[in-house]
């Protein structure tokens, strides 16, 4: 009996001790929370009663070389509902159905949903948003937002790019210069009671948004229009798949125009072109959209064909393996190892010197120059000219050159590369290299960005694109200008001649792979004035129907563009003179 009483007393003591210890721990914890964590939990409690809404920042504008706005913003509204604040759900559903043109059942689902906030519709015209706001409906929020707007619709669509639903850049300059354009969103904080109903007269905290900065670019709306119009005309006339044009200042790399027709509507970038086959699913549609958004001037490579003879000629002259008076013979082909490589003139050009070979765009002549250089020397100049890398243009997605590895090049590969086949480059790489060859020999970086300014016009940042290495001598550059002026004056580029102007250039007609399809890309690169180039332009016509020779269909387009833009750029025509030629024997 005594033992039981003792055990009972011990248990009681233990329980009392344990209870006392637990109480002490709880009191200590409570003391800690009340004294040391009071601010933290007070803030947490406050947050339970705060409603937070984002105030979108206005995105910076994009302006052309003349200060013309080519990308800006329009004020739109986001309509949303807060369930716990709605006092008359039927009226809310009725008004929103009427003003927004949405299905009543879709709106009611969101009105009846227990959530902190349900978005009914975004990108609502401001006039409609103001109308909804005038009803003063409890629980209906009308927040002003910004939607990107492009005043010229499709102008330079693949260059400018566009923004998504969150106003963030997706392609083109919009994504390239996102950090300058995007701005910083603001915040609106309001207080609500435990039921989620906004407390009237409780005031609100407002953090103002910071607008994005304005981007000034070298692209000129007027030159872009001229180039787009000329490209569209030849595309329609020749039934081509697409046409691309780049217009650039060869002295500093500033891009004045970049055209990819057909362009797409920047204000409606997710709608496929009229006549497109209806995609089977969302994945297929996205693939079609990606193709529609591609900038062929920088994203795609192609075999340049005879325009690349500019590179082979410059390398040969610089290395001293060829001169203007060097004699060649063209029987209509050249045999290299076991390959018979034909000239475009089946019967051949007969005896000719190097200048005539360039004027005639003769494959055997350029093959011989390449063979004189040899694989190691040719590859050295290929890299020296910057052709093995990218140009560094300030647009996303630039493709690199697809070229044989030096160890895999034989004499046949050297021969085909010499006149622009069996490898691929981008149009932007070709025009950049051509610019460097004719501007005195300095490598340039093609670019559009010029400077960034704040919304009030204050200077923020100027982009710097210094000239690169001297890739050829001034003497070689001068000789190349002379050769290419002769090509237009008396050679294969005659259709690029323009009365009163000295024009230089080179034609090309390259056969697409696989050769059996007999599909071609016609192109021409031209510059003016030939003695002091201020503008250079490249056109590529993809899969023209009928006559497809570059000298016949591409060269006249550049002449047409130059006829419009040279006077505009202040390059006046002079009295027409016959270009002096170096005496040619035979």
């Amino acid at each position: 009996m005594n033992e039981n009483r003792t055990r009972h007393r011990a248990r009681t003591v233990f329980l009392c001790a344990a209870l006392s210890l637990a109480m002490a721990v709880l009191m200590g914890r409570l003391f800690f929370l009340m004294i040391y964590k009071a601010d933290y939990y007070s803030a947490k409690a406050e947050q339970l009663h705060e409603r937070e809404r984002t105030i979108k920042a206005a995105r910076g504008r994009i302006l052309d070389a003349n200060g013309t706005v080519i990308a800006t913003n329009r004020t739109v509204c986001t309509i949303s509902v807060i369930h716990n604040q709605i006092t008359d759900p039927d009226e809310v559903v009725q008004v929103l159905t009427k003003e927004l043109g949405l299905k009543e059942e879709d709106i009611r689902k969101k009105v009846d949903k227990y959530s902190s906030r349900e978005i009914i519709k975004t990108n609502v015209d401001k006039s409609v948003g103001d109308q909804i706001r005038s009803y003063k409906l409890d629980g209906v929020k009308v927040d002003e937002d910004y939607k990107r707007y492009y005043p010229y619709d499709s102008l330079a669509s693949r260059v400018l790019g566009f923004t998504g639903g969150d106003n963030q850049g997706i392609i083109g300059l919009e994504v390239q210069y996102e950090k300058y354009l995007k701005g910083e969103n603001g915040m609106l904080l309001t207080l609500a009671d435990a039921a989620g109903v906004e407390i009237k007269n409780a005031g609100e905290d407002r953090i103002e948004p910071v607008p994005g900065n304005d981007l000034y670019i070298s692209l000129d709306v007027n030159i872009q229009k001229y180039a787009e119009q000329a490209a569209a005309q030849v595309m329609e006339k020749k039934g081509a798949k697409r046409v691309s044009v780049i217009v650039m200042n060869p002295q500093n790399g500033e891009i004045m125009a970049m055209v990819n027709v057909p362009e797409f509507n920047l204000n409606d970038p997710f709608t496929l072109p009229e006549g497109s086959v209806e995609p089977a699913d969302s994945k297929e549609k996205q693939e079609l959209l990606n193709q529609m958004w591609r900038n062929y001037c920088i994203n795609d490579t192609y075999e340049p064909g005879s325009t690349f003879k500019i590179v082979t000629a410059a390398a040969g002259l610089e290395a001293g393996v060829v001169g203007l008076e060097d004699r060649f013979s063209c029987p209509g082909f050249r045999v290299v190892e076991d390959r018979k490589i034909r000239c475009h003139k089946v019967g051949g050009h007969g005896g000719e010197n190097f200048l005539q070979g360039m004027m005639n765009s003769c494959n055997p002549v350029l093959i011989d120059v390449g063979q004189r250089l040899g694989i190691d020397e040719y590859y050295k100049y290929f890299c020296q000219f910057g052709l093995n890398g990218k140009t560094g243009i300030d647009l996303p997605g630039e493709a690199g050159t697809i070229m044989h590895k030096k160890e895999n090049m034989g004499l046949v590969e050297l021969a085909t590369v010499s006149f622009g086949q069996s490898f691929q480059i981008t149009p932007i790489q070709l025009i950049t290299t051509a610019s460097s060859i004719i501007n005195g020999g300095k490598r340039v970086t093609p670019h559009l960005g010029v400077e960034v300014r704040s919304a009030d016009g204050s200077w923020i940042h100027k982009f710097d694109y210094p000239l690169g290495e001297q890739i050829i001598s001034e003497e070689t550059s001068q000789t190349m200008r002379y050769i290419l002026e002769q090509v237009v004056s008396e050679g294969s580029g005659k259709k690029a001649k323009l009365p009163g102007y000295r024009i230089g250039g080179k034609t090309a007609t390259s056969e697409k792979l696989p050769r059996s399809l007999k599909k071609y890309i016609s192109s021409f690169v031209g510059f003016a004035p030939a003695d002091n180039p201020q503008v250079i332009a490249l056109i590529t016509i993809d899969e023209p129907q009928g006559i497809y020779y570059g000298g016949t269909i591409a060269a006249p387009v550049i002449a047409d563009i130059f006829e419009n833009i040279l006077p505009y750029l202040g390059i006046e025509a002079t009295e027409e003179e016959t270009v002096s030629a170096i005496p040619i024997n035979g």
Side-chain angles (χ1 to χ4, degrees):
M1 190 68 149
N2 288 334
E3 285 183 13
N4 291 335
R5 211 180 278 121
T6 301
R7 283 196 207 96
H8 179 71
R9 190 179 295 115
R11 278 198 300 271
T12 304
V13 171
F14 176 78
L15 289 171
C16 288
L19 184 59
S20 298
L21 180 62
M23 290 294 291
V25 171
L26 288 172
M27 290 297 292
R29 179 64 178 167
L30 184 60
F31 179 80
F32 172 76
L33 295 175
M34 292 178 65
I35 302 301
Y36 291 99
K37 301 291 286 184
D39 292 341
Y40 173 79
Y41 284 103
S42 176
K44 283 288 187 182
E46 185 75 13
Q47 289 175 13
L48 290 174
H49 299 287
E50 286 181 344
R51 296 287 181 187
E52 181 181 287
R53 300 208 304 276
T54 299
I55 306 174
K56 293 288 183 68
R59 193 172 175 84
R61 303 173 300 168
I62 300 177
L63 300 92
D64 85 333
N66 303 308
T68 302
V69 177
I70 50 181
T72 185
N73 307 292
R74 275 185 172 175
T75 302
V76 292
C77 295
T78 296
I79 312 299
S80 59
V81 294
I82 299 174
H83 177 82
N84 284 351
Q85 295 180 7
I86 296 174
T87 55
D88 191 341
D90 290 335
E91 185 183 11
V92 168
V93 171
Q94 181 184 0
V95 169
L96 296 185
T97 299
K98 172 188 171 186
E99 298 296 342
L100 298 177
L102 300 175
K103 293 180 180 179
E104 180 179 337
E105 55 267 31
D106 293 339
I107 293 178
R108 189 170 294 279
K109 284 179 184 178
K110 294 186 177 183
V111 169
D112 292 342
K113 187 174 180 180
Y114 287 86
S115 66
S116 59
R117 182 183 180 222
E118 282 294 311
I119 295 176
I120 304 296
K121 191 176 182 180
T122 59
N123 292 329
V124 176
D125 286 345
K126 188 176 183 302
S127 60
V128 177
D130 290 341
Q131 180 66 22
I132 293 172
R133 190 183 284 118
S134 70
Y135 287 96
K136 297 181 180 179
L137 300 170
D138 291 336
V140 176
K141 303 300 174 186
V142 181
D143 296 314
E144 290 193 358
D145 197 352
Y146 294 99
K147 181 182 180 181
R148 204 59 162 162
Y149 174 65
Y150 303 91
Y152 294 93
D153 288 327
S154 63
L155 188 87
S157 59
R158 293 171 176 85
V159 176
L160 293 178
F162 57 90
T163 61
D166 57 358
N167 225 18
Q168 185 176 20
I170 292 181
I171 67 168
L173 293 173
E174 290 281 23
V175 70
Q176 183 74 23
Y177 289 101
E178 174 73 15
K179 70 176 182 179
Y180 295 105
L181 293 166
K182 67 178 181 179
E184 297 178 19
N185 290 336
M187 197 70 68
L188 181 65
L189 300 173
T190 59
L191 292 178
D193 60 21
V197 178
E198 211 167 273
I199 301 172
K200 294 182 178 180
N201 303 319
E204 62 183 25
D205 290 328
R206 185 182 178 93
I207 302 172
E208 293 296 335
V210 179
N213 296 306
D214 292 339
L215 173 67
Y216 289 75
I217 64 175
S218 59
L219 186 139
D220 187 307
V221 164
N222 295 312
I223 296 176
Q224 181 76 19
K225 284 180 177 179
Y226 287 137
E228 283 190 12
Q229 183 179 20
Q233 286 174 349
V234 74
M235 179 177 170
E236 182 179 2
K237 181 179 179 181
K238 298 303 299 178
K241 185 177 179 181
R242 65 177 71 98
V243 178
S244 297
V245 177
I246 305 172
V247 182
M248 192 164 85
N249 182 336
Q251 302 295 335
N252 60 16
E254 286 190 350
I255 294 173
M256 305 177 198
M258 183 176 283
V259 175
N260 295 273
V261 293
E263 303 277 357
F264 65 90
N265 190 342
L266 288 168
N267 292 310
D268 189 19
F270 294 95
T271 297
L272 292 169
E274 188 177 345
S276 297
V277 177
E278 187 66 28
D281 51 37
S282 59
K283 182 179 179 182
E284 185 180 336
K285 181 176 181 179
Q286 187 58 57
E287 290 174 354
L288 292 172
L289 287 172
N290 290 340
Q291 285 299 315
M292 185 178 77
W293 299 336
R294 285 184 74 81
N295 184 336
Y296 308 113
C297 295
I298 67 166
N299 299 147
D300 288 5
T301 58
Y302 77 115
E303 285 188 338
S306 294
T307 49
F308 197 75
K309 290 172 181 173
I310 295 172
V311 172
T312 302
L317 290 166
E318 184 72 6
V321 301
V322 70
L324 294 181
E325 294 296 329
D326 284 13
R327 302 295 301 176
F328 298 85
S329 175
C330 171
F333 61 89
R334 188 70 84 232
V335 177
V336 180
E337 291 188 333
D338 60 345
R339 283 277 301 277
K340 187 176 184 179
I341 304 173
R342 298 189 178 279
C343 183
H344 67 87
K345 187 175 182 181
V346 178
H349 293 100
E352 57 189 341
N353 63 20
F354 179 61
L355 175 60
Q356 289 172 320
M358 283 293 290
M359 292 165 62
N360 294 329
S361 196
C362 179
N363 288 350
V365 169
L366 277 299
I367 289 173
D368 287 355
V369 174
Q371 301 293 312
R372 290 182 184 184
L373 281 164
I375 293 170
D376 288 344
E377 193 76 355
Y378 196 98
Y379 214 87
K380 183 196 84 171
Y381 279 106
F382 194 91
C383 295
Q384 182 173 310
F385 290 0
L387 287 159
N388 60 321
K390 299 179 182 180
T391 66
I393 186 173
D394 54 342
L395 284 172
E398 181 184 5
T401 299
I402 302 172
M403 175 62 168
H404 309 280
K405 291 182 178 179
K406 187 169 77 168
E407 57 268 28
N408 295 334
M409 281 187 74
L411 294 180
V412 172
E413 287 76 23
L414 175 60
T416 53
V417 168
S418 297
F419 61 88
Q421 283 189 5
S422 81
F423 73 102
Q424 296 191 356
I425 60 174
T426 58
I428 192 65
Q429 178 65 268
L430 179 67
I431 194 173
T432 299
T433 305
S435 294
S436 305
I437 287 172
I438 64 166
N439 71 4
K442 288 285 190 180
R443 179 74 179 182
V444 296
T445 300
H447 61 276
L448 290 133
V450 176
E451 64 180 7
V452 176
R453 292 183 175 273
S454 64
D456 64 6
S458 302
W459 181 83
I460 300 290
H461 180 76
K462 185 173 181 63
F463 301 105
D464 188 27
Y465 296 92
L467 294 177
E469 296 178 356
Q470 189 84 28
I471 64 170
I472 56 172
S473 67
E474 171 60 52
E475 181 182 0
T476 299
S477 179
Q478 184 177 2
T479 303
M480 287 303 303
R481 292 195 296 270
Y482 169 76
I483 290 173
L484 296 174
E485 185 177 6
Q486 294 291 325
V487 169
V488 172
S489 176
E490 300 179 37
S492 60
K494 283 182 179 179
K495 288 186 179 294
K497 290 175 72 171
L498 196 59
Y501 290 99
R502 296 176 62 179
I503 309 293
K506 186 70 190 74
T507 61
T509 308
S510 54
E511 193 171 5
K512 297 176 70 173
L513 296 172
R515 311 288 187 204
S516 59
L517 294 179
K518 298 296 181 182
K519 293 182 178 180
Y520 300 88
I521 294 179
S522 305
S523 60
F524 179 79
V525 58
F527 57 92
D531 57 333
N532 181 27
Q534 299 302 306
V535 60
I536 185 169
L538 169 66
I539 181 171
T540 56
I541 306 171
D542 193 0
E543 297 185 15
Q545 303 302 305
I547 296 174
Y548 51 80
Y549 299 113
T552 304
I553 67 171
V557 181
I558 296 301
D560 180 51
I561 292 172
F562 279 178
E563 186 176 18
N564 281 289
I565 72 172
L566 292 179
Y568 172 76
L569 291 171
I571 303 171
E572 299 296 334
T574 57
E575 290 186 15
E576 194 168 0
E577 299 175 357
T578 302
V579 180
S580 59
I582 293 177
I584 296 172
N585 297 320

